[in-house]
């Protein structure tokens, strides 16, 4: 869909109230100095060169100064001043004019299509899981929806290789979150999705992994249900499945692991401590998969061992699994945190704990350990 912008529109945009994000907040970003040490990330880091190139359309307003990037050719991610909240507000303010224009263009397209759009005038909304990073793991349905979308709101852990599949006329908007920096609050994301849907656009919300496994997809579904809008969910391969398959680890195995349990390493602000589950999760006949657990693993490992999980339980930590930048360490549970620290693994890192890890061909004693487990 071609989106020629020739006029300035005065359009109310509930997701980004001008009283909150007014011109008084606007302090143009003069330069984002890139850090080549993290340039190899397959994902969209919070202030990366790829993000601003990909979302370039939303900074096209001639009356505002766009972010200026000063980077080496090989650099991809940028260091910015420590005041993340000011940067976030500034970024939103810069984007407001073009977001308004896009809404107006989409509404005009809907009105000019006549009977080709639903009577309600609402566009289709999709929550699409993109898997752990490898674009070959996308479902056919996901690829079809990605390529027909008008606007795609994407998270940090949607890989660059997946985003390369987006149609040439579609618009991309980064709404990713990372520790200490949320480009949009969850409420702002809800309102953005609703505004585009009400404008008649085909709206795609791209999420890494599966949208309904630690992806807050349920919250977005609930929001739309309250608005009377049906959301179509396209599942993705969750990191636990994709990465365990990559490493040759069966999450369940007859006689070795009769169940698998997914844990989150952190909870929402003010929520229950996720480490409280250790007492019930310390089952030697189960496989534990920990998402977002880098910072809390030392405490979690101690609690699991305290509640009965053997210290020599095989375990692995996998950074950026299924991508060309994948790195991994294997160790017994009692040593895993130290191995991770030595290897300097960074987010996203998935942790798998359980006897089935020893069945992986990458486990240091894989042949003898696998034979022993099968015999037992």
């Amino acid at each position: 869909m071609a989106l020629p912008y020739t006029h300035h529109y005065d359009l109310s945009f509930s997701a980004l109230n001008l009283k909150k994000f007014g011109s008084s907040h606007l302090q143009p970003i003069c330069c984002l100095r890139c850090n080549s040490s993290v340039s190899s990330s397959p994902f969209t880091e919070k202030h990366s060169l790829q993000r601003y190139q990909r979302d370039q359309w939303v900074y096209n307003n001639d009356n505002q100064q766009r972010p200026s990037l000063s980077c080496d050719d090989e650099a991809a991610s940028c260091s910015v001043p420590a005041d993340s909240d000011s940067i976030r507000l500034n970024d939103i303010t810069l984007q407001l004019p073009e977001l308004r224009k896009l809404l107006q263009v989409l509404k005009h397209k809907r009105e000019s299509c006549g009977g080709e759009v639903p009577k309600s005038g609402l566009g289709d909304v999709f929550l699409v899981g993109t898997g752990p990073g490898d674009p070959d793991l996308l479902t056919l349905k996901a690829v079809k929806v990605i390529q027909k979308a008008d606007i795609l709101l994407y998270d940090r852990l949607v890989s660059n290789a997946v985003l390369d599949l987006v149609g040439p006329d579609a618009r991309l908007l980064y709404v990713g979150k990372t520790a200490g920096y949320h480009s949009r609050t969850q409420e702002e994301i809800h309102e953005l999705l609703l505004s585009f849907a009400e404008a008649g656009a085909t709206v795609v919300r791209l999420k890494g992994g599966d949208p309904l496994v630690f992806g807050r997809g349920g919250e977005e579904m609930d929001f739309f249900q309250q608005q009377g809008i049906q959301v179509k969910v396209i599942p993705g391969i969750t990191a636990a499945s994709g990465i365990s398959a990559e490493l040759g680890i069966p999450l369940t195995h007859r006689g070795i692991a009769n169940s698998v349990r997914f844990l989150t390493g952190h909870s929402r602000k003010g929520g229950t401590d996720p480490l409280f589950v250790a007492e019930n999760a310390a089952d030697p006949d189960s496989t534990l998969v920990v998402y977002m657990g880098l910072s809390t693993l030392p405490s979690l490992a101690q609690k699991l061992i305290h509640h009965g999980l053997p210290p020599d339980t095989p375990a692995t930590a996998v950074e950026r699994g299924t991508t060309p930048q994948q790195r991994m360490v294997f160790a017994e549970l009692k040593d895993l945190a130290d191995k991770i620290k030595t290897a300097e693994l960074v987010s996203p890192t998935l942790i798998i704990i359980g006897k089935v890890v020893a069945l992986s061909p990458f486990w240091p004693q894989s042949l003898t350990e696998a034979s022993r487990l099968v015999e037992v």
Side-chain angles (χ1 to χ4, degrees):
M1 175 182 72
L3 297 173
Y5 301 142
T6 57
H7 302 286
H8 178 78
Y9 298 96
D10 183 15
L11 184 66
S12 175
F13 199 62
S14 60
L16 305 170
N17 191 312
L18 278 176
K19 291 182 180 179
K20 181 179 180 182
F21 304 112
S23 58
S24 61
H25 290 288
L26 185 58
Q27 297 178 352
I29 301 172
C30 297
C31 177
L32 299 178
R33 178 64 62 178
C34 294
N35 182 354
S36 60
S37 65
V38 290
S39 63
S40 60
S41 174
F43 304 109
T44 304
E45 301 304 335
K46 57 186 178 182
H47 298 298
S48 67
L49 175 60
Q50 290 100 325
R51 172 195 167 184
Y52 288 105
Q53 288 178 332
R54 191 175 288 129
D55 296 3
Q56 185 177 15
W57 68 273
V58 84
Y59 298 102
N60 279 342
N61 181 32
D62 294 335
N63 296 323
Q64 310 288 3
Q65 183 176 339
R66 293 165 52 198
S68 171
L69 294 165
S70 176
C71 313
D72 296 329
D73 290 340
E74 296 181 357
S77 292
C78 306
S79 300
V80 297
D83 190 357
S84 295
D85 192 54
S86 294
I87 294 169
R88 189 185 85 85
L89 296 178
N90 179 80
D91 207 34
I92 292 174
T93 305
L94 288 171
Q95 294 175 3
L96 271 171
E98 291 303 314
L99 288 172
R100 287 198 186 97
K101 289 181 184 180
L102 177 58
L103 281 174
Q104 188 69 17
V105 170
L106 291 169
K107 288 182 177 180
H108 178 72
K109 178 189 175 185
R110 178 192 64 189
E111 293 166 358
S112 64
C113 286
E116 296 183 18
V117 296
K119 290 182 179 179
S120 65
L122 295 174
D124 292 324
V125 181
F126 298 88
L127 296 184
V128 178
T130 62
D134 183 353
D136 289 340
L137 296 179
L138 283 170
T139 65
L140 291 174
K141 192 171 185 179
V143 173
K144 291 176 182 177
V145 169
I146 288 172
Q147 292 179 339
K148 76 173 187 178
D150 293 320
I151 179 77
L152 303 96
L153 282 68
Y154 65 102
D155 281 344
R156 175 200 168 209
L157 296 184
V158 178
S159 70
N160 295 318
V162 169
L163 293 172
D164 287 342
L165 300 174
V166 172
D169 295 325
R171 294 290 183 260
L172 283 156
L173 183 62
Y174 179 75
V175 293
K177 304 183 183 76
T178 188
Y181 180 80
H182 290 187
S183 64
R184 291 290 192 282
T185 66
Q186 191 62 41
E187 292 73 20
E188 288 167 356
I189 293 172
H190 290 169
E191 294 296 336
L192 280 165
L193 291 168
L194 179 61
S195 295
F196 287 122
E198 289 178 338
T202 298
V203 186
V204 173
R205 177 76 170 96
L206 290 180
K207 292 176 172 287
D210 183 274
L212 302 183
V213 179
F214 300 130
R216 303 190 72 169
E219 295 176 40
E220 293 171 7
M221 288 175 59
D222 181 61
F223 171 78
F224 274 101
Q225 288 171 357
Q226 292 180 28
Q227 312 303 317
I229 299 174
Q230 182 180 3
V231 178
K232 302 175 180 67
V233 180
I234 300 177
I237 293 179
T238 189
S241 297
I243 293 173
S244 64
E246 183 82 6
L247 271 59
I249 298 174
L251 293 177
T252 61
H253 192 290
R254 188 171 59 175
I256 299 175
N258 55 27
S259 65
V260 59
R261 184 166 186 168
F262 296 171
L263 309 176
T264 175
H266 73 269
S267 62
R268 64 185 176 87
K269 187 175 182 179
T272 303
D273 183 351
L275 302 185
F276 287 167
V277 304
E279 181 175 0
N280 296 322
D283 179 2
D285 295 323
S286 182
T287 303
L288 302 180
V289 182
V290 186
Y291 292 70
M292 302 169 284
L294 268 182
S295 62
T296 54
L297 176 65
S299 298
L300 177 62
Q302 290 178 4
K303 290 178 181 292
L304 289 171
I305 293 170
H306 174 74
H307 289 295
L309 200 61
D312 62 351
T313 300
T316 182
V318 189
E319 172 193 292
R320 298 167 175 172
T322 77
T323 74
Q325 293 81 10
Q326 174 178 294
R327 296 196 300 150
M328 55 191 174
V329 297
F330 286 80
E332 293 178 348
L333 177 59
K334 67 181 188 301
D335 301 321
L336 184 62
D338 290 337
K339 286 288 186 72
I340 290 173
K341 184 177 181 180
T342 300
E344 297 181 343
L345 298 189
V346 299
S347 174
T349 291
L350 188 80
I351 298 163
I352 306 176
I353 302 168
K355 291 182 289 187
V356 290
V357 173
L359 299 177
S360 168
F362 298 103
W363 179 251
Q365 302 85 28
S366 60
L367 292 178
T368 55
E369 186 73 10
S371 299
R372 184 185 69 81
L373 286 171
V374 171
E375 288 176 1
V376 172

